[in-house]
Amino acid sequence: MLRKLLFRLNVLPVLMAMTVMVSLSAAGAATVTGVRLGENGDITRLVLDLDNASSFRTFLLDDPPRVVIDFPPMDWRLLKTAGRQGRGVIAGFRFGVFDQGTSRMVLDLKRPARVAQAFILPPREGYGYRFVIDLKPVTQKEFSTLLRPQGGLPADLAATRPAAIKLPPVPVARPRHRLPVVVLDPGHGGIDPGASSLNGHREKDITLAIARNLARHLRATGRVKVVMTRNRDVFLKLRERVRIARRAGADLFISLHADTISRSSVRGASIYTLSETASDKEAAALAAKENKADVIAGVNLSGHSEDVAEILIDLAQREAMNASASFVSYLLPSMRRRGIKLLRKPHRSAGFRVLKAPDVASVLLELGYLSNRRDESRLLSRKGQSEIAAAITDAVLAYLEKQQAYNR
Ligand SMILES: [Zn+2]
């Protein structure tokens, strides 16, 4: 198939522009119906079949090297497994909703490469519209010069030693006489599917279903206000999730996830809280995996403002860490009471980015393993989801009651 539209290398224009904006008039929302990869010499080509023309924009990201292609909202009718296997310089790719106005495709590169050319082909010779992108390997040095100017602090401020910057911590506004706010954070979403079960169920859908169920349980008590970081299949940066929690004046932040592991016999839930040093190797590896969500979605993680912010929030964080641990002390027995299987050492800690709201008690729940049949069916079943929701609800109420007694 690809050979048919193979291009003549000698006419490849040398396009140095790394950001290419192509606007076609009358471009409605397109449907993507196919994807192909091919190689010709040192050029790797990716082709998307579209039912309509579309505008697009490409740019490069580093650490690890990636090519990001942004389209207006598109309907991706590709196999779930598409993108698992790469070719040429492309190690693999992902696609999906990035935000309301953007559909994104992220190409993971085996080595640095630049966009040699990218264009939309009009229908011709039995083919419909096609989006074509050609990648050419470059040196790391060349790749670095092609990266888009980075955001973050101005150079002079970024160069300042963080310890020398003194800013007061920003307190979260918590008006009195109001219901405590519980923020639920369904993990992953949009372009970032999270883990996949044996039967192809995706973590992002499971976490959303359980969060909705939990929201219903919590609201039914009439004793808390519930805020969801997302209530649909959309990608959110990890920092954006934290920001939502702070803006809502959260008293408690609960991030919901499900993991996979190569040994399919392993099952059980675990609860994670934040710490700078991971409690064990597994916890560190898991944090690294969950923290990759932004990389998966093609978010630029460079820039220094984050480092500075982290220093500033450090102190406030300590208190929140104690509160988080206190919530875990309610959550564990509550889950056991509801017959939810837990890992042998169920409370662990590591540096999860999503738990870094400075003054909000935060936990990340790995609700079970999608690689285990029994865990998978529990996480997918209405009954299993309700058991989890009930266990968390009991713990939330008990925890908040104690906190309120303490603050009175
Ligand atoms: Zn996850």
Side-chain angles (χ1 to χ4, degrees):
M1 277 269 265
L2 184 87
R3 193 148 301 168
K4 263 196 174 170
L5 44 109
L6 268 184
F7 37 102
R8 291 174 297 275
L9 275 177
N10 51 349
V11 298
L12 270 185
V14 184
L15 269 182
M16 288 306 294
M18 52 177 176
T19 302
V20 185
M21 198 64 189
V22 178
S23 282
L24 294 173
S25 53
T31 300
V32 188
T33 55
V35 58
R36 294 183 294 281
L37 288 171
E39 277 176 279
N40 192 350
D42 63 346
I43 297 281
T44 304
R45 171 169 284 194
L46 178 136
V47 180
L48 295 177
D49 291 312
L50 310 173
D51 72 340
N52 206 340
S54 176
S55 58
F56 65 88
R57 189 173 72 108
T58 70
F59 60 92
L60 304 174
L61 289 176
D62 204 358
D63 280 327
R66 286 156 289 165
V67 176
V68 178
I69 311 153
D70 280 345
F71 300 97
M74 298 212 293
D75 185 9
W76 299 87
R77 302 247 175 98
L78 300 179
L79 292 177
K80 276 179 195 164
T81 51
R84 286 197 192 158
Q85 209 146 30
R87 201 166 163 183
V89 293
I90 298 175
F93 57 84
R94 292 173 300 276
F95 46 87
V97 179
F98 179 69
D99 60 29
Q100 218 156 11
T102 317
S103 264
R104 176 167 285 190
M105 182 163 224
V106 182
L107 313 178
D108 293 310
L109 302 181
K110 288 180 196 154
R111 54 180 169 278
R114 66 175 171 83
V115 178
Q117 58 172 353
F119 52 90
I120 299 278
L121 277 174
R124 191 162 72 203
E125 291 163 21
Y127 288 97
Y129 284 98
R130 279 152 294 165
F131 166 77
V132 180
I133 186 166
D134 286 343
L135 305 178
K136 194 175 164 61
V138 291
T139 62
Q140 178 62 47
K141 204 173 155 204
E142 223 179 312
F143 186 79
S144 302
T145 65
L146 291 168
L147 292 167
R148 198 159 68 156
Q150 309 297 326
L153 295 174
D156 54 339
L157 186 50
T160 316
R161 287 169 60 84
I165 303 172
K166 282 212 172 64
L167 290 174
V170 186
V172 173
R174 280 201 185 120
R176 282 160 166 257
H177 312 301
R178 58 155 186 91
L179 288 177
V181 177
V182 179
V183 174
L184 303 182
D185 175 47
H188 311 277
I191 187 173
D192 167 28
S196 276
S197 78
L198 293 168
N199 298 315
H201 296 284
R202 292 168 304 185
E203 182 183 355
K204 66 172 183 177
D205 302 322
I206 292 170
T207 58
L208 182 57
I210 292 174
R212 284 177 175 156
N213 197 317
L214 175 55
R216 271 196 304 278
H217 271 77
L218 286 169
R219 285 183 181 127
T221 68
R223 290 168 59 190
V224 294
K225 184 182 169 208
V226 178
V227 172
M228 307 261 288
T229 56
R230 70 177 179 97
N231 202 356
R232 57 199 178 90
D233 184 19
V234 67
F235 171 76
L236 283 178
K237 287 180 207 166
L238 295 172
R239 298 207 80 194
E240 182 58 26
R241 296 169 191 265
V242 174
R243 220 174 286 140
I244 290 169
R246 301 201 69 229
R247 219 179 289 139
D251 293 272
L252 193 53
F253 175 85
I254 305 174
S255 191
L256 300 168
H257 290 259
D259 200 6
T260 54
I261 194 166
S262 50
R263 270 190 304 147
S264 64
S265 61
V266 176
R267 60 182 293 245
S270 46
I271 306 168
Y272 292 81
T273 49
L274 181 71
S275 84
E276 289 314 317
T277 48
S279 58
D280 53 68
K281 253 195 355 240
E282 286 77 25
L286 182 73
K289 195 153 85 177
E290 299 290 7
N291 288 346
K292 258 181 85 175
D294 283 352
V295 170
I296 284 168
V299 174
N300 189 356
L301 294 177
S302 52
H304 300 265
S305 51
E306 194 148 329
D307 302 339
V308 179
E310 270 173 26
I311 305 274
L312 295 176
I313 63 183
D314 185 56
L315 269 180
Q317 220 158 42
R318 273 166 221 281
E319 202 180 321
M321 277 154 74
N322 293 336
S324 310
S326 157
F327 176 56
V328 175
S329 72
Y330 290 97
L331 192 49
L332 286 174
S334 176
M335 289 173 85
R336 279 198 192 101
R337 265 198 303 276
R338 298 270 175 178
I340 295 165
K341 169 130 175 71
L342 298 166
L343 287 185
R344 205 174 320 139
K345 212 177 54 168
H347 179 198
R348 302 170 185 213
S349 55
F352 291 90
R353 291 166 69 98
V354 78
L355 300 182
K356 288 196 173 173
D359 40 14
V360 180
S362 312
V363 300
L364 184 144
L365 265 87
E366 291 286 349
L367 295 163
Y369 286 95
L370 295 176
S371 42
N372 175 275
R373 259 172 232 292
R374 286 168 73 190
D375 270 7
E376 185 197 20
S377 68
R378 181 168 52 77
L379 291 171
L380 287 170
S381 79
R382 195 76 184 164
K383 183 169 166 277
Q385 294 182 352
S386 289
E387 276 164 10
I388 291 167
I392 299 173
T393 300
D394 292 347
V396 168
L397 294 183
Y399 165 78
L400 291 174
E401 211 160 89
K402 188 199 128 199
Q403 288 294 106
Q404 279 159 356
Y406 188 73
N407 292 337
R408 219 165 266 150

